[in-house]
Amino acid sequence: MMAVVNHLSGLRLLLRQSLVRPITCGRAVPARLAAPTLYPSSFCQPAACTRLYATKKAKGKAKGQAAKVNISANLVEDIISLEDVKEDMTAVVEALKDDFTRNLSIRTSPGALDHIMVSTEDGKFPLNQLGQVSMKSPLLIMVNMSSYPEATAAAARALRESSMNLNPEVDGAIIKVPVPKVTREHRENLAKTAKQFSNKAKDSLRRVRSNAVAQVKKAKEGHSEDTIRLVEKQIQQMADNISSDIDKQLAVKTKELLS
């Protein structure tokens, strides 16, 4: 009889221990969520409650990947020519590079004045088409306007109003252009001008994007809304890539000017 009582007591103990597992994370866990412990003296502690969260970097990466689209140009050629849009956007970057090269050079040379446009009664012409530009010395550039003397004043004005910090002196049909000393202030002014050029490039880029999107919206009839939306996203993605390229060009040029 005593053996039966002891056996029943042991069963009750096992039953109580199987109903409730050890407390984890501040609350009891019902035993039905896991296998009951048969041997109380040797049960395994459950792992601490943890919850894995995606990092901001991972979320951003996943979001960026989801936003990317790549539509075949052949599939939407009746809506818009994506190749033409790409060419127009790329032309904006090329124009910016050209502006940087022509207008933001630390070293002044005869060729650096070739791009300067002179307004005359017959229209606008590059300086090197109106006069002969030569380097008189490392500190002086000469512009001989003998072949077009009536444009001498206009040429001097164009040189003065350029972003190259020039102070030309007129002597008859000869324009003397002292080479400016490269000071820290001059470098900083050039860097500011580079920023202005990049802002203008982004304005041009926005116009290209807006015109392209407007063209796509006109082609809504005969195409699904999903297709139109994807084309618009493709155009925006192209514009974002070019905008990023503009920022890179500005960073490189600014470093060059200030270093």
Side-chain angles (χ1 to χ4, degrees):
M1 182 66 179
M2 198 65 183
V4 173
V5 171
N6 291 336
H7 179 69
L8 291 175
S9 299
L11 289 176
R12 291 193 191 96
L13 178 60
L14 288 174
L15 180 61
R16 285 197 297 271
Q17 291 172 341
S18 65
L19 289 177
V20 179
R21 294 182 66 190
I23 295 176
T24 308
C25 297
R27 64 188 180 90
V29 181
R32 63 176 176 273
L33 299 180
T37 304
L38 297 179
Y39 300 98
S41 61
S42 61
F43 65 82
C44 297
Q45 291 287 350
C49 292
T50 59
R51 185 175 179 181
L52 300 178
Y53 294 90
T55 62
K56 291 183 178 179
K57 182 177 181 181
K59 287 181 178 179
K61 184 177 180 181
K63 184 177 180 181
Q65 290 174 344
K68 287 185 177 181
V69 293
N70 188 14
I71 302 175
S72 173
N74 295 330
L75 296 178
V76 295
E77 59 184 1
D78 58 331
I79 300 176
I80 193 173
S81 173
L82 293 178
E83 288 298 324
D84 289 347
V85 175
K86 183 178 180 180
E87 288 180 6
D88 291 342
M89 290 184 176
T90 303
V92 172
V93 179
E94 295 303 320
L96 177 65
K97 293 179 180 178
D98 189 56
D99 283 336
F100 282 173
T101 301
R102 291 176 177 271
N103 300 305
L104 302 177
S105 177
I106 292 296
R107 298 179 181 274
T108 304
S109 63
L113 305 182
D114 290 348
H115 72 283
I116 294 180
M117 301 300 294
V118 181
S119 297
T120 69
E121 295 180 355
D122 299 324
K124 289 187 176 182
F125 299 92
L127 179 62
N128 63 349
Q129 291 185 12
L130 302 177
Q132 182 180 0
V133 184
S134 60
M135 204 81 181
K136 185 69 174 178
S137 71
L139 300 177
L140 182 64
I141 296 177
M142 303 286 285
V143 183
N144 190 335
M145 299 291 297
S146 300
S147 59
Y148 206 150
E150 59 270 32
T152 301
R157 183 168 57 253
L159 288 165
R160 192 175 295 108
E161 293 176 354
S162 71
S163 59
M164 300 180 66
N165 194 33
L166 303 176
N167 187 24
E169 301 174 2
V170 179
D171 183 8
I174 301 297
I175 302 176
K176 300 178 181 179
V177 186
V179 176
K181 190 176 182 179
V182 182
T183 62
R184 183 65 184 180
E185 181 181 3
H186 179 49
R187 289 176 179 270
E188 291 175 352
N189 288 335
L190 290 178
K192 291 179 181 178
T193 304
K195 178 64 175 177
Q196 294 173 0
F197 281 141
S198 68
N199 289 338
K200 289 181 180 179
K202 287 189 176 182
D203 289 340
S204 299
L205 176 63
R206 281 189 286 269
R207 284 193 292 272
V208 173
R209 182 193 62 80
S210 297
N211 291 338
V213 171
Q215 181 178 342
V216 172
K217 290 184 181 298
K218 290 180 180 179
K220 280 187 175 181
E221 294 184 5
H223 298 88
S224 67
E225 292 184 2
D226 289 341
T227 300
I228 296 298
R229 192 178 301 110
L230 285 174
V231 176
E232 291 177 353
K233 286 184 178 180
Q234 178 78 62
I235 293 172
Q236 182 61 56
Q237 183 174 298
M238 294 163 62
D240 291 341
N241 292 338
I242 295 297
S243 180
S244 177
D245 195 5
I246 290 174
D247 290 337
K248 290 178 182 177
Q249 295 296 329
L250 175 61
V252 171
K253 193 63 181 181
T254 301
K255 182 178 180 180
E256 172 191 327
L257 293 172
L258 297 180
S259 61

